[in-house]
Amino acid sequence: MAKTKELSKDTRNKIVDLHQVGKTESAIGKQLGLKKSTVGAIIRKWKTYKTTDNLPRSGAPRKISPRGVKMITRTVSKNPRTTRGDLVNDLQRAGTKVTKPTISNTLRRQGLKSCSARRVPLLKPVHVQARLKFAREHLDDPDEDWENVIWSDETKIELFGKNSTRRVWRTKNAELHPKNTIPTVKHGGGNIMLWGCFSAKGPGRLIRVKERMNGAMYREILSENLLPSARALKMKRGWVFQHDNDPKHTARATKEWLRKKHFKVLEWPSQSPDLNPIENLWRELKVRVAQRQPQNITALEEICMEENTSNSV
């Protein structure tokens, strides 16, 4: 927004003089080439304070000039991961010395807030197209179809600590813009690995994977836990199984095993863990585990199983 040019003292006094001789605000505005709202503001100020002089301003003057504000706003728009220290240095090189809190307050007034960058899958163009194709194909599917799906996945749960975060400057509701996110790959650390499944009726079995999982082990897990989960969840005939495109899941032997068992498998776009609703379940489990603060691996596993059992159907 352009800065409004300040009226001269003579013009402000002329407005008051015309008002005192009975002219309306509209008439004064037309005569002097001013907006009616500007004329009204000068007249109200004169009535209240009996002066047209500038009143003392409240608070300290802004340390960053409008030009400086534009510069740092443009900088964080191009690169949201710019730090406050970077901006302090930029302004100092331009001749303005400010502190980091001043940077925060200035950007906040521009609608920008420092937030933790969301972690999202690293997507290549082929992944984007596959996800779009999947969404279009299932756009009009009725709720009953999704209620007939058993969703599955593996996850790793850490015993201590949290993954490091990065902060970005962003506007409200822009948390998923690519510039404001951190691309991730699956299974980025942790202490125990779990396989689990669930449907709209509740969670199925939760299994700890104690060794490095391969195709044979994955098929064994499905053999021992998928059908019992489907029975416990009372899935309707023709229920659909979902798993992602991990090489263990898409191996020829696994596909053949699923075919012989007559399992219907939901076609799934690669690099799309965020589309799987089980991710919400994993997050809830991790929050509950963190609240109970397990002190060792045994306790970590026990708590995971207890939380899953307490929410089973």
Side-chain angles (χ1 to χ4, degrees):
M1 182 181 292
K3 187 176 180 181
T4 303
K5 186 176 180 181
E6 188 176 87
L7 297 179
S8 68
K9 183 171 176 58
D10 287 343
T11 301
R12 284 176 273 164
N13 288 338
K14 184 72 171 176
I15 291 172
V16 173
D17 291 342
L18 292 172
H19 169 71
Q20 288 181 311
V21 298
K23 288 211 170 188
T24 65
E25 294 178 1
S26 297
I28 296 171
K30 288 180 180 179
Q31 182 175 334
L32 301 180
L34 301 171
K35 292 181 180 179
K36 179 181 176 182
S37 59
T38 301
V39 173
I42 296 296
I43 293 173
R44 288 193 297 275
K45 179 180 179 181
W46 176 79
K47 287 181 177 180
T48 303
Y49 301 104
K50 300 302 179 185
T51 182
T52 60
D53 292 338
N54 288 329
L55 299 174
R57 298 179 184 273
S58 60
R62 300 278 165 80
K63 292 185 177 180
I64 304 179
S65 67
R67 183 177 180 182
V69 172
K70 287 182 180 179
M71 182 184 77
I72 64 173
T73 302
R74 185 166 56 247
T75 298
V76 299
S77 295
K78 289 182 178 178
N79 181 13
R81 298 184 189 180
T82 304
T83 66
R84 293 185 302 172
D86 294 335
L87 297 174
V88 166
N89 294 334
D90 289 347
L91 286 172
Q92 190 166 356
R93 284 192 290 270
T96 302
K97 188 175 181 179
V98 295
T99 63
K100 291 180 181 180
T102 299
I103 294 290
S104 297
N105 294 334
T106 300
L107 291 176
R108 193 174 295 114
R109 285 193 291 270
Q110 302 304 308
L112 294 162
K113 183 180 178 183
S114 177
C115 307
S116 296
R118 291 288 183 92
R119 295 180 178 273
V120 299
L122 178 60
L123 299 177
K124 297 178 181 178
V126 65
H127 299 140
V128 173
Q129 291 301 317
R131 287 157 62 97
L132 183 60
K133 178 175 179 288
F134 175 85
R136 286 173 171 166
E137 287 176 350
H138 296 282
L139 184 63
D140 298 320
D141 288 2
D143 292 345
E144 293 76 14
D145 286 2
W146 297 113
E147 292 172 358
N148 209 34
V149 176
I150 290 185
W151 308 87
S152 73
D153 196 16
E154 299 89 39
T155 193
K156 288 188 178 180
I157 299 187
E158 297 178 352
L159 182 59
F160 304 114
K162 294 181 179 179
N163 291 329
S164 61
T165 59
R166 292 283 298 274
R167 302 192 73 81
V168 294
W169 295 99
R170 65 169 174 80
T171 55
K172 187 177 181 181
N173 298 328
E175 64 271 18
L176 293 179
H177 190 284
K179 292 195 298 184
N180 301 329
T181 61
I182 297 177
T184 64
V185 294
K186 294 187 71 177
H187 312 321
N191 294 90
I192 67 171
M193 185 174 183
L194 302 173
W195 175 90
C197 65
F198 90 109
S199 76
K201 298 180 180 179
R205 290 190 176 183
L206 184 66
I207 303 300
R208 179 184 173 187
V209 182
K210 294 186 178 182
E211 300 175 14
R212 185 179 180 86
M213 184 186 285
N214 55 26
M217 182 184 296
Y218 180 64
R219 292 189 292 276
E220 183 179 341
I221 288 174
L222 295 185
S223 177
E224 295 178 356
N225 299 283
L226 183 54
L227 271 178
S229 294
R231 295 190 191 101
L233 294 168
K234 298 180 180 178
M235 300 299 293
K236 295 179 181 178
R237 183 183 296 274
W239 58 271
V240 178
F241 175 56
Q242 181 277 338
H243 60 177
D244 61 27
N245 293 304
D246 184 284
K248 297 182 292 294
H249 305 169
T250 57
R252 184 179 301 175
T254 301
K255 288 183 175 179
E256 182 64 17
W257 183 88
L258 290 167
R259 187 188 65 79
K260 287 182 178 179
K261 296 292 183 181
H262 304 291
F263 289 143
K264 293 177 63 177
V265 180
L266 180 65
E267 185 177 350
W268 195 249
S270 297
Q271 195 64 357
S272 300
D274 55 319
L275 298 185
N276 190 345
I278 202 172
E279 293 300 322
N280 299 310
L281 206 59
W282 290 142
R283 184 181 184 281
E284 180 66 22
L285 177 62
K286 291 173 183 178
V287 168
R288 295 190 183 192
V289 168
Q291 290 173 343
R292 295 180 62 175
Q293 298 182 342
Q295 298 300 306
N296 53 58
I297 295 296
T298 300
L300 178 62
E301 181 180 357
E302 290 176 353
I303 289 173
C304 289
M305 299 308 165
E306 288 173 6
E307 292 292 342
N308 185 67
T309 302
S310 65
N311 290 280
S312 296
V313 291

